């Protein structure tokens, strides 16, 4: 039997009414807002529908099958980890699964708001129940587990089943605080504030939140890089594009009530700290001289506002490290700075091995963190500077480079080849444009290696693919990200919309990149000539991991001539030498051990709630780090330390991948003696 959604909501509240009674009567529970579609949302919906169906690179049908995809994604966005909705909710709400196509076309989205309101009700009930669990101190001596990954399980069928999950989640939150040194009264205080704040933020939900969530369910059901930005989000995006932000230089996203680091802006405070990495979770933020504010469960916009601030002021972040097995928080102080991408100039250094068969010889290393406007000009200066140092070869380090300017990737390639095609772009209607370097001069003709990793994307992939296709140099590292699509950004508001409230912006894919050999950089990225050991699987991070990512395909090759600077037989010899070296390397031994540990535990979906187990894990990791540190100190001829806290400040963890890249390049020079560092 089908029920109107409003009736469903009322009956659902009655099912959970006993949970509300458990909350401390002294804490006022805010009312949830009544959310309705606003007039501008109808117009915005129609314009989004027409833009996506007419101008998107991907051809798709907006029918019942597509509508069901949008419904599933909308539900997933509201309850990613199946911790709020019941199976009965999903069954009842499924009466709307075939309505999204017509709703977007007509701009009639009332049922979308009703589904969102249902989620608000469920969230409030669960956070209310979570608070009630803090009345009594928890026992962390019993065998108990928190199953944090619930994406593949069935929806809970009863209130008791959902309550059991929340019992373990609250206990998990409490144990993390206990392991961080907090006693029960403080744990109770922190978590009560956290869950009350979550309820308060539910009460502050706005119609704009619903519309943005629904439109992104529509956009992401088409393709991974298509999105809608509400007016507030669009303003923030425009600030970033115009480089007007003052802060720490980190791109954030929300996952399961946590604010997570997606990527770091090269050269900005977060990246310079060398203590923050992608996948780290921000659980607390503190201003100078103030206590930490717990931000678990906060809206992303509000966390960003808390972190932003004037240049020169300090902010402290409390992080759960994404690569940590013990869930121990770390505190990282940062001094805010002006974030200006064009200031992130390429840098170079002369690399001289201090041991081994190539001791004392010189290589040039150019680090490029983004493809900003003016990059090629800066790299020319760096190459000229390295020439003056008489380096024997050049490493272009693109690790962590997320891309940037297409023209810069083309002109940078032109420093190493004579004029010719660099990348092909296919747009809607299968129109293919070949983008070429028109300058026949070559700045650098010597031995060349390009370093990449899984975070190298877009323009980085265009450059490294061109170097590889021309056989101009060797690409080493990890398979790159695989983002081979081109997006356009445009406002929905038109010039004559005088009386209409702001409508926001859309981003959509309108073209695709292809290598000069015809293969796309999309999905596959660039596969190195020599692979470095890595724990990152292509299916777990990168474009191939994104839902609805456009597939890899191939078009006709461009007209170009291979330079034959890299003979396949040389690659085989270099690979053999590389594998022999890392097999006996102590530092690569650590990497192999970490990879094995990661693979052994990556499918684990729970954490122990027994304090002794977690403490043992923590001590094990500390002992491992201390052992490795002492082994490094011995290799450097220095004294061992008793504790990690006693490690000399000048001891840096070696960049073993760069060290090995240098070995490969020296091997390459030995195999190809005809190479000379020269200008034409």
């Amino acid at each position: 039997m089908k029920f109107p959604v409003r009736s469903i909501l009322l009956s659902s509240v009655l099912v959970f009414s006993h949970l509300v009674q458990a909350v401390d009567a002294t804490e006022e529970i805010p009312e949830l807002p009544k959310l309705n579609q606003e007039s501008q949302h109808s117009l915005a919906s129609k314009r989004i529908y027409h833009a996506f169906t007419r101008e998107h690179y991907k051809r798709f049908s907006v029918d019942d099958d597509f509508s069901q995809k949008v419904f599933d994604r909308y539900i997933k966005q509201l309850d990613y980890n199946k911790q709020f909705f019941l199976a009965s909710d999903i069954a009842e709400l499924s009466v709307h699964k075939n309505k999204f196509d017509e709703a977007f076309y007509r701009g009639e989205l009332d049922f979308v708001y009703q589904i969102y309101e249902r989620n608000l009700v469920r969230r409030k009930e669960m956070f209310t129940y979570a608070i009630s669990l803090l009345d009594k101190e928890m026992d962390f001596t019993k065998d108990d587990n928190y199953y944090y990954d619930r994406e593949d399980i069935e929806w809970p069928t009863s209130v008791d089943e959902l309550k059991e999950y929340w019992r373990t989640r609250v206990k998990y939150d409490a144990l993390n605080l206990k392991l961080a040194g907090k006693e029960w009264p403080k744990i109770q205080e922190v978590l009560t504030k956290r869950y009350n704040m979550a309820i308060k933020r539910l009460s502050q939900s706005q119609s704009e939140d619903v519309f943005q969530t629904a439109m992104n369910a529509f956009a992401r059901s088409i393709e991974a890089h298509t999105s809608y930005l509400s007016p507030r989000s669009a303003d923030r995006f425009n600030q970033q594009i115009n480089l007007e932000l003052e802060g720490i230089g980190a791109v954030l996203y929300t996952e399961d009530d946590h604010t997570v680091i997606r990527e770091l802006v090269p050269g900005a405070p977060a990246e310079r700290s060398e203590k923050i990495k992608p996948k780290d979770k921000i659980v607390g933020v503190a201003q100078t001289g103030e206590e930490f504010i717990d931000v678990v469960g906060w809206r992303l916009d509000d966390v960003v506002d808390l972190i932003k601030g004037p240049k020169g002021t300090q902010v402290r972040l409390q992080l759960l490290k994404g690569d940590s097995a013990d869930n121990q928080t770390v505190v990282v102080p940062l001094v805010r700075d002006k974030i200006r991408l064009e200031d992130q100039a390429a840098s170079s250094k002369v690399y001289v091995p201090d041991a081994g068969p190539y001791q004392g010889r010189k290589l040039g290393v150019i680090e490029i963190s983004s493809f900003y406007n003016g990059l090629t000009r800066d790299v020319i200066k760096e190459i000229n500077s390295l020439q003056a140092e008489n380096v024997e070869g050049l490493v272009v380090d693109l690790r962590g480079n997320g891309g940037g300017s297409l023209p810069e990737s083309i002109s940078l390639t032109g420093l190493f080849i004579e004029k010719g095609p660099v990348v092909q772009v296919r747009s809607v209607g299968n129109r293919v444009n070949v983008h070429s370097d028109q300058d026949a001069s070559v700045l650098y003709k010597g031995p060349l290696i390009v370093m990449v990793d899984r975070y190298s994307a877009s323009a980085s992939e265009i450059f490294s693919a061109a170097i590889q296709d021309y056989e101009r140099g060797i690409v080493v590292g990890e398979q790159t990200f695989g983002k081979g699509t081109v997006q356009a950004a445009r406002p929905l508001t038109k010039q004559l919309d005088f009386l209409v409230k702001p409508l926001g912006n859309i981003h959509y894919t309108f073209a695709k990149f292809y290598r000069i050999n015809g293969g796309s950089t999309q999905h596959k990225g660039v596969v190195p000539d020599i692979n470095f050991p890595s724990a990152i699987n292509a299916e777990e991070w990168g474009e191939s991991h994104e839902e609805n990512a456009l597939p890899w395909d191939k078009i006709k090759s461009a007209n170009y001539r291979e330079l034959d600077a890299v003979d396949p037989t040389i690659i085989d010899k270099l690979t053999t030498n590389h594998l022999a070296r890392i097999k006996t390397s102590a530092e690569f031994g650590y990497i192999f051990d970490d990879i094995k540990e990661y693979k052994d535990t990556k499918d684990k979906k729970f954490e122990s709630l027994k304090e002794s187990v977690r403490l043992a894990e923590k001590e094990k990791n500390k002992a491992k780090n201390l052992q490795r540190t002492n082994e490094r100190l011995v290799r450097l001829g220095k004294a061992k330390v008793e504790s990690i806290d006693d490690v000399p400040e000048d001891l840096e963890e070696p960049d073993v991948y760069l060290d090995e890249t240098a070995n490969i390049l020296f091997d390459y020079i030995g195999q190809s003696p005809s190479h000379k560092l020269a200008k034409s």
Side-chain angles (χ1 to χ4, degrees):
M1 179 181 293
K2 297 181 179 179
F3 300 94
V5 172
R6 184 59 53 202
S7 299
I8 296 172
L9 286 171
L10 290 174
S11 64
S12 300
V13 174
L14 293 176
V15 171
F16 283 84
S17 60
H18 63 286
L19 299 181
V20 179
Q21 298 169 4
V23 180
D24 184 351
T26 61
E27 183 70 42
E28 182 179 351
I29 303 175
E31 293 294 322
L32 294 177
K34 178 67 178 73
L35 300 174
N36 294 304
Q37 178 178 328
E38 297 178 1
S39 58
Q40 73 272 17
H41 294 150
S42 177
L43 178 60
S45 177
K46 294 174 185 177
R47 288 183 180 175
I48 292 170
Y49 179 93
H50 288 297
F52 287 168
T53 54
R54 295 175 181 177
E55 301 174 32
H56 202 283
Y57 180 87
K58 182 179 179 179
R59 301 290 87 188
F60 63 98
S61 298
V62 186
D63 51 19
D64 283 351
D65 287 341
F66 182 79
S67 181
Q68 290 171 26
K69 283 180 63 176
V70 177
F71 172 78
D72 291 341
R73 180 165 287 275
Y74 186 50
I75 293 294
K76 187 175 182 179
Q77 289 177 187
L78 294 177
D79 191 0
Y80 172 80
N81 214 27
K82 298 177 181 174
Q83 56 187 340
F84 299 109
F85 281 133
L86 290 172
S88 57
D89 291 324
I90 303 303
E92 292 166 353
L93 296 174
S94 292
V95 300
H96 303 295
K97 65 182 180 181
N98 292 333
K99 296 181 181 179
F100 283 85
D101 48 350
E102 283 290 322
F104 293 141
Y105 174 76
R106 299 182 183 280
E108 298 172 355
L109 305 170
D110 287 344
F111 71 93
V112 171
Y113 286 77
Q114 293 167 1
I115 294 173
Y116 195 96
E117 284 186 331
R118 168 74 73 90
N119 185 253
L120 293 182
V121 170
R122 286 287 181 256
R123 285 176 175 267
K124 181 177 179 179
E125 290 162 346
M126 287 298 98
F127 285 120
T128 299
Y129 177 64
I131 294 171
S132 74
L133 295 173
L134 299 171
D135 290 342
K136 181 180 178 182
E137 184 170 354
M138 295 176 178
D139 182 358
F140 299 110
T141 64
K142 298 179 180 178
D143 288 323
D144 200 1
N145 293 317
Y146 166 59
Y147 287 83
Y148 53 81
D149 186 347
R150 295 162 54 85
E151 185 177 7
D152 296 329
I153 70 168
E154 298 297 322
W155 290 98
T157 58
S158 68
V159 175
D160 287 342
E161 186 180 343
L162 204 52
K163 286 169 65 177
E164 172 57 18
Y165 161 75
W166 275 88
R167 179 193 69 79
T168 61
R169 171 173 166 171
V170 174
K171 191 173 181 180
Y172 172 76
D173 289 346
L175 180 55
N176 282 340
L177 293 173
K178 192 172 193 296
L179 292 172
K182 292 181 171 57
E183 299 296 330
W184 179 253
K186 188 62 177 179
I187 292 171
Q188 189 179 35
E189 176 189 342
V190 169
L191 293 184
T192 299
K193 285 183 179 179
R194 178 184 297 181
Y195 303 146
N196 273 321
M197 181 60 72
I199 295 173
K200 181 180 179 181
R201 292 185 182 282
L202 295 177
S203 71
Q204 297 170 344
S205 299
Q206 301 174 1
S207 177
E208 197 67 66
D209 302 324
V210 186
F211 186 73
Q212 177 165 271
T213 304
M215 287 301 112
N216 273 318
F218 178 21
R220 294 302 173 90
S221 295
I222 301 170
E223 188 262 342
H225 297 287
T226 299
S227 62
Y228 164 76
L229 298 178
S230 69
R232 181 181 179 187
S233 298
D235 287 344
R236 191 181 302 283
F237 178 80
N238 289 334
Q239 282 184 318
Q240 292 171 337
I241 291 298
N242 294 328
L243 310 174
E244 296 172 353
L245 283 178
E246 290 182 344
I248 65 168
V251 179
L252 311 176
Y253 69 102
T254 300
E255 180 181 274
D256 191 22
D257 290 329
H258 282 98
T259 298
V260 188
I261 305 289
R262 182 184 297 279
E263 59 184 273
L264 304 176
V265 176
E271 195 261 352
R272 290 200 306 265
S273 75
E274 298 184 350
K275 297 178 180 178
I276 300 177
K277 303 294 181 185
K279 297 188 179 182
D280 289 350
K281 298 176 181 178
I282 301 173
V283 297
V285 180
Q287 312 302 329
T288 302
E290 298 180 7
E291 292 188 1
F292 277 99
I293 298 174
D294 185 282
V295 296
V296 177
W298 279 38
R299 291 167 56 107
L300 182 61
D301 286 346
D302 294 325
V303 178
V304 171
D305 288 341
L306 202 59
I307 295 174
K308 279 195 330 181
K311 176 181 177 180
T313 60
Q314 187 187 75
V315 62
R316 289 179 294 146
L317 302 185
Q318 193 174 48
L319 303 172
L320 273 175
K321 298 297 292 179
D323 58 0
S324 173
D326 56 20
N327 287 283
Q328 179 73 13
T329 59
V330 298
V331 174
V332 180
L334 300 169
V335 177
R336 299 178 177 103
D337 201 354
K338 191 79 173 179
I339 310 302
R340 298 187 61 83
L341 294 184
E342 72 264 33
D343 292 338
Q344 311 310 316
S347 62
S348 69
K349 62 183 178 183
V350 176
Y351 177 96
V352 181
D354 54 10
Y358 301 120
Q359 182 176 1
R361 294 173 65 176
K362 292 181 180 179
L363 291 178
V365 178
I366 298 180
E367 296 179 353
I368 302 175
S369 54
S370 68
F371 281 76
Y372 56 89
N373 292 330
L375 168 66
T376 305
R377 175 198 62 220
D378 292 344
V379 171
I380 290 172
K381 295 177 183 177
E382 300 303 328
I383 290 178
N384 288 334
S385 174
L386 293 171
Q387 285 180 346
E389 297 286 344
N390 295 315
V391 297
E392 297 182 52
L394 184 64
V395 175
V396 176
D397 187 351
L398 298 181
R399 289 176 295 174
N401 186 320
S405 168
L406 173 63
E408 289 292 344
S409 68
I410 295 169
S411 59
L412 185 68
T413 305
L415 301 182
F416 305 98
I417 65 168
E418 294 182 358
K419 65 180 180 179
V422 174
V423 64
Q424 304 183 85
V425 179
R426 183 167 71 174
S427 55
V428 176
N430 289 327
R431 295 186 298 272
V432 177
N433 292 316
V434 179
H435 295 258
S436 300
D437 167 54
Q438 302 295 337
D439 186 352
S441 64
V442 180
L443 178 66
Y444 175 74
K445 295 181 179 180
L448 174 67
I449 283 186
V450 180
M451 285 186 76
V452 294
D453 63 12
R454 194 59 176 159
Y455 302 100
S456 305
S458 194
S460 295
E461 296 173 299
I462 291 170
F463 172 79
S464 53
I467 295 298
Q468 194 176 58
D469 289 347
Y470 272 107
E471 295 187 4
R472 171 61 187 87
I474 301 170
V475 178
V476 305
E478 298 172 322
Q479 183 176 345
T480 61
F481 190 89
K483 185 184 182 298
T485 56
V486 193
Q487 283 71 47
R490 103 172 182 211
L492 292 170
T493 303
K494 297 183 179 180
Q495 198 168 17
L496 299 179
D497 290 339
F498 299 116
L499 301 178
V500 178
K501 290 183 179 180
L503 303 179
N505 290 7
I506 53 172
H507 290 196
Y508 62 96
T509 297
F510 72 95
K512 200 171 178 181
F513 289 127
Y514 291 83
R515 302 167 65 134
I516 55 175
N517 70 6
S520 176
T521 56
Q522 170 64 13
H523 214 278
K524 280 188 179 181
V526 177
V527 178
D529 298 301
I530 299 176
N531 284 283
F532 285 170
S534 171
I536 302 178
N537 187 296
E539 299 304 317
E540 296 171 343
W541 179 261
E543 188 75 6
S544 56
H545 183 62
E546 299 285 345
E547 289 187 60
N548 298 313
L550 293 182
W552 179 89
D553 61 347
K554 190 173 176 121
I555 62 173
K556 183 180 177 181
S557 170
N559 184 19
Y560 72 102
R561 179 178 60 85
E562 295 173 351
L563 301 178
D564 298 325
V566 182
D567 189 287
T569 59
I570 292 179
I571 294 293
D572 291 341
K573 293 177 182 177
L574 297 178
T575 301
T576 298
N577 292 346
H578 158 69
L579 293 176
R581 263 191 308 268
I582 66 174
K583 187 176 181 180
T584 59
S585 163
E587 292 294 342
F588 272 98
Y590 302 151
I591 293 172
F592 287 128
D593 288 343
D594 290 343
I595 291 173
K596 182 180 184 304
E597 181 180 355
Y598 171 77
K599 290 182 177 179
D600 289 343
T601 60
K602 70 184 182 68
D603 294 327
K604 178 184 173 185
K605 298 185 177 183
F606 66 89
E607 286 285 356
S608 173
L609 296 176
K610 190 173 183 178
E611 185 177 9
S612 60
V613 172
R614 295 282 293 280
L615 285 172
E617 292 173 351
K618 180 180 176 180
E619 291 304 313
K620 178 182 177 182
N621 285 325
K622 286 178 63 176
K624 178 179 72 175
N625 291 336
L626 180 60
Q627 178 184 347
R628 291 181 178 181
T629 299
N630 279 326
E631 289 173 355
R632 286 187 182 117
L633 288 169
V634 170
R635 287 196 293 272
L636 293 171
K638 298 183 178 182
K640 293 183 180 181
V641 295
E642 295 294 326
S643 167
I644 288 292
D645 297 333
D646 301 327
V647 176
E649 291 186 4
D650 61 349
L651 180 67
E652 296 183 0
E653 189 168 326
D655 187 347
V656 294
Y657 292 111
L658 178 58
D659 293 340
E660 178 55 20
T661 298
N663 285 326
I664 294 172
L665 185 49
F666 281 122
D667 284 353
Y668 178 37
I669 294 169
Q671 296 285 343
S672 306
S674 60
H675 271 307
K676 301 289 183 184
L677 182 64
K679 290 193 294 183
S680 59

